[in-house]
Amino acid sequence: MPSVCSPALLTKPSKPLANAEEPNRSSRSRNNTLIEPTIETFPLSSTLPKILCELGVYIGTSSSSITMQYSVHACPRQMKREVGLVFPDVVGKESDLLIIPTFQKTTTSMISYEPETQEEKDVKLHQFYRWGSDFVSRIREQGYWADITDPMSGMALFTNSGPSLYPDVESAEILLRYTPFNLGMCFVLSHPQWGTHVYPATAFTLAPVAVVQQVLYAMSLT
């Protein structure tokens, strides 16, 4: 399970996302937003997708649905180099890459060490695995590349993994202008409505946004 210092929950301020010149906050990539933040409930099948079963890890299936906020963004210039280091398969195709940050609202603060917080992290992790593997499977059926990063490690989950880890906190700051919460030696993700009561995770695809919309709509119905 992710600790307070997992890539999904925080980042150190000393490590930039990429080596490109950092734009002013006012010009950050909301103009790259293709689908604005949307809260949706998706049913979850009790049957795990094949690609998830192939991971060989235990995935809880007690939850029948997942409620999350998602948005869809074209990969901004300042993230292209780093994303290529996370996903070697997209190198040279970064301009076609769509990034889909997701956020699940939690009952407890994700910076707590209490046992109930760790339990909730496991639940949210398994829900995202199930949602993400379904999303990836459906996108692949349409003939396009897709993957998710593991919230516990920041590594690619279903495709080739590169030397870098995907930082959800820095990415939320760039893509959505979410201001991180300063926790001493590092920054913690803070959602504008939910604060630190949030579990972030991210999906990625080379499919056109129209295909992504169709897949997300179909997932919301089944």
Side-chain angles (χ1 to χ4, degrees):
M1 68 186 67
S3 68
V4 170
C5 291
S6 68
L9 301 178
L10 59 80
T11 186
K12 296 181 179 179
S14 59
K15 181 182 179 182
L17 181 66
N19 293 332
E21 181 180 353
E22 180 71 9
N24 293 329
R25 176 177 290 274
S26 61
S27 66
R28 281 183 173 174
S29 55
R30 286 309 294 270
N31 60 334
N32 289 74
T33 301
L34 304 177
I35 298 179
E36 291 289 339
T38 303
I39 296 178
E40 184 71 73
T41 298
F42 297 91
L44 294 174
S45 173
S46 58
T47 302
L48 299 179
K50 180 181 178 182
I51 59 172
L52 191 56
C53 294
E54 290 174 348
L55 292 181
V57 298
Y58 169 75
I59 304 294
T61 58
S62 59
S63 300
S64 60
S65 65
I66 179 174
T67 299
M68 62 163 62
Q69 174 191 300
Y70 73 88
S71 52
V72 180
H73 309 262
C75 183
R77 182 181 62 183
Q78 67 267 37
M79 293 179 65
K80 287 181 178 179
R81 179 182 179 277
E82 190 70 19
V83 167
L85 293 174
V86 177
F87 300 106
D89 294 345
V90 307
V91 172
K93 306 173 186 176
E94 295 91 345
S95 295
D96 297 324
L97 184 69
L98 300 184
I99 304 174
I100 307 167
T102 74
F103 305 91
Q104 297 180 68
K105 186 178 181 181
T106 61
T107 302
T108 62
S109 171
M110 291 292 99
I111 63 174
S112 170
Y113 285 106
E114 296 300 320
E116 56 267 27
T117 297
Q118 302 306 317
E119 292 174 5
E120 188 170 20
K121 286 179 181 178
D122 283 347
V123 171
K124 299 303 184 185
L125 174 66
H126 290 183
Q127 288 178 338
F128 176 72
Y129 277 166
R130 293 167 65 194
W131 178 89
S133 59
D134 187 21
F135 174 80
V136 169
S137 297
R138 290 173 186 251
I139 291 290
R140 287 181 176 181
E141 288 174 359
Q142 300 296 318
Y144 298 98
W145 179 93
D147 201 357
I148 60 177
T149 44
D150 187 343
M152 295 193 299
S153 67
M155 298 176 65
L157 196 62
F158 299 123
T159 63
N160 296 322
S161 186
S164 290
L165 306 178
Y166 185 77
D168 287 296
V169 175
E170 289 177 77
S171 301
E173 185 180 9
I174 292 173
L175 297 172
L176 292 159
R177 302 182 191 170
Y178 287 178
T179 303
F181 175 78
N182 192 337
L183 191 67
M185 294 297 294
C186 50
F187 289 115
V188 177
L189 177 65
S190 180
H191 188 279
Q193 281 78 47
W194 307 333
T196 58
H197 291 245
V198 62
Y199 193 90
T202 310
F204 307 81
T205 184
L206 292 173
V209 66
V211 172
V212 173
Q213 285 180 305
Q214 294 169 1
V215 166
L216 291 173
Y217 178 71
M219 289 174 65
S220 72
L221 298 178
T222 56

